[in-house]
Amino acid sequence: MNWFQNLPIKRKLMLLMLLSSTAALVLACAAFVAYEMATFSGAMQRNMTTLADVLAESSTGVVSMPGFEDEAEKKLAALKAEPHVLLACLFKDATNMLAGYVRSGVDQKFPAQSPLEGARVVDGKLEVCRPVMLGEKKIGTLFVRSDMAELNA
């Protein structure tokens, strides 16, 4: 600290202004990063929920009619276009899975039963579960699991 005492007052003031400006800048950057992570996570959740809603809406026919398991698999295979989707499956009821999709090269297990509806982050993965509706009646459930690689990038 002896070196600080030997500095002229002009240098001391410049050093203090530099330190306070640096501290303010670091705090502002930390706040921006925290805000971006929070809003980006919400946007990822909304985008995946929208994707699941569209897929659930277009799956009404294959869930409501018996014998269309191949068509259900094709619908879910369209998720290849979304690089962050790891797994998706259609349930007719709580334990009866109609069709499933797993991204090639990914080690993921289908849930044993239909999860609760909604969106949540579990073990670093975003999981979205949406109802498949026929009019006002729930006839199935669509489950989609996505990685959070976009957020980490």
Side-chain angles (χ1 to χ4, degrees):
M1 255 347 234
N2 196 19
W3 63 272
F4 186 74
Q5 291 173 353
N6 293 334
L7 285 176
I9 190 74
K10 184 177 180 180
R11 296 267 181 184
K12 288 179 184 177
L13 288 174
M14 284 180 22
L15 184 61
L16 288 174
M17 285 188 291
L18 176 68
L19 289 175
S20 62
S21 297
T22 302
L25 187 61
V26 167
L27 285 174
C29 287
F32 283 131
V33 167
Y35 175 76
E36 280 296 316
M37 287 183 70
T39 57
F40 192 76
S41 177
M44 279 181 58
Q45 191 169 340
R46 281 189 302 279
N47 289 343
M48 195 55 60
T49 300
T50 301
L51 177 69
D53 283 340
V54 168
L55 194 56
E57 183 70 29
S58 71
S59 299
T60 301
V62 296
V63 174
S64 64
M65 296 182 194
F68 280 90
E69 289 80 12
D70 290 340
E71 290 300 316
E73 294 281 345
K74 288 179 187 175
K75 285 212 177 283
L76 292 179
L79 290 171
K80 281 189 254 185
E82 183 62 43
H84 298 290
V85 172
L86 303 173
L87 171 142
C89 52
L90 270 170
F91 288 92
K92 275 191 108 125
D93 53 46
T95 58
N96 184 12
M97 191 172 85
L98 178 66
Y101 161 78
V102 177
R103 178 166 298 286
S104 62
V106 174
D107 183 30
Q108 292 286 312
K109 304 284 186 233
F110 291 112
Q113 62 185 19
S114 175
L116 295 174
E117 290 176 20
R120 65 194 72 65
V121 176
V122 178
D123 296 329
K125 309 278 189 279
L126 176 59
E127 296 184 350
V128 178
C129 189
R130 304 301 291 167
V132 178
M133 305 293 287
L134 181 62
E136 297 295 318
K137 183 181 177 199
K138 179 180 171 183
I139 59 171
T141 306
L142 173 71
F143 175 76
V144 179
R145 182 180 296 146
S146 172
D147 65 21
M148 301 285 281
E150 273 185 299
L151 179 64
N152 297 333

